[in-house]
Amino acid sequence: MWTNCRLLLFTRYPEAGKTKTRLITELGATGAALLQKRLTERIAHQAKLLAQRTGIASDVHFAGGSRKKMTFWLGAMNCVEQTNGDLGQRMRSAFEHSIEAGAETVVLTGSDIPDISAELLQQAFTSLLTKQVVIGPSQDGGYYLIGMVASQAPKLYPLLFEEMPWSTGELFATTVSRLEKAGYDVAILPTLRDIDLPADLPFAKKRGLL
């Protein structure tokens, strides 16, 4: 069932002063980087649990640092440096990388959502057995996960990744609207909360990240 599936993890190397910058005023540069480190380690752990249960392998697409630093930090996980460009261009390149390597089903998720579990990731892949696109909305109006079947990738790339309102509260609604207008039946996962702003820090504490 899970042959030729791939999970992509988007994250940033936790270098002080260059990650979670909107939280530096509250946590300091080192504290913000430590939060980034813990968030990434949490999703990486869930990815490993997913692999144990289903055999679905993952790639870590990172910004900042270097591949040597990433593999020293995360161990045996396959780490790929993100390409240049806006978020849409980088996400598209990550999908292309996996699909060109033979993946037939690809799911990409970020590292800012502490409640992503191996079960939820498996649910995303399961939904792609009957749907062509899956998306996980975040409470701020964006999304924390996007996935597709490779056969639809050429048609989906412009719908998902071109001229989108990145980093705004309109992203999820715009994405779903585009997909539905193009005739896609979209699987929607539970809404989860990310950690990106000072107002999110009490939630981070509840999740044991601070």
Side-chain angles (χ1 to χ4, degrees), residues 2 50 53-54 56 117-127:
W2 307 117
L50 178 72
R53 297 175 184 179
T54 65
I56 296 174
S117 63
E119 290 81 9
L120 184 66
L121 294 171
Q122 186 171 341
Q123 181 182 343
F125 281 100
T126 300
S127 69

Side-chain angles (χ1 to χ4, degrees), residues 176-194:
V176 172
S177 176
R178 279 191 178 190
L179 290 168
E180 291 179 344
K181 286 180 180 177
Y184 287 98
D185 190 10
V186 184
I188 298 178
L189 298 175
T191 301
L192 299 179
R193 182 171 182 174
D194 62 2

Side-chain angles (χ1 to χ4, degrees), residues 55-135:
I56 296 174
S58 60
D59 298 325
V60 178
H61 286 258
F62 69 93
S66 66
R67 189 179 182 200
K68 183 177 180 180
K69 289 181 178 180
M70 291 294 297
T71 53
F72 179 79
W73 169 30
L74 296 177
M77 299 188 78
N78 183 42
C79 296
V80 182
E81 188 171 7
Q82 292 179 26
T83 58
N84 294 324
D86 66 17
L87 180 58
Q89 292 169 320
R90 289 181 280 127
M91 292 171 69
R92 174 173 177 160
S93 293
F95 274 98
E96 289 175 337
H97 179 271
S98 290
I99 291 172
E100 289 171 3
E104 296 176 0
T105 303
V106 184
V107 169
L108 182 152
T109 189
S111 60
D112 296 335
I113 309 281
D115 288 345
I116 294 177
S117 63
E119 290 81 9
L120 184 66
L121 294 171
Q122 186 171 341
Q123 181 182 343
F125 281 100
T126 300
S127 69
L128 290 174
L129 296 173
T130 55
K131 309 281 188 179
Q132 295 169 315
V133 186
V134 61
I135 188 167

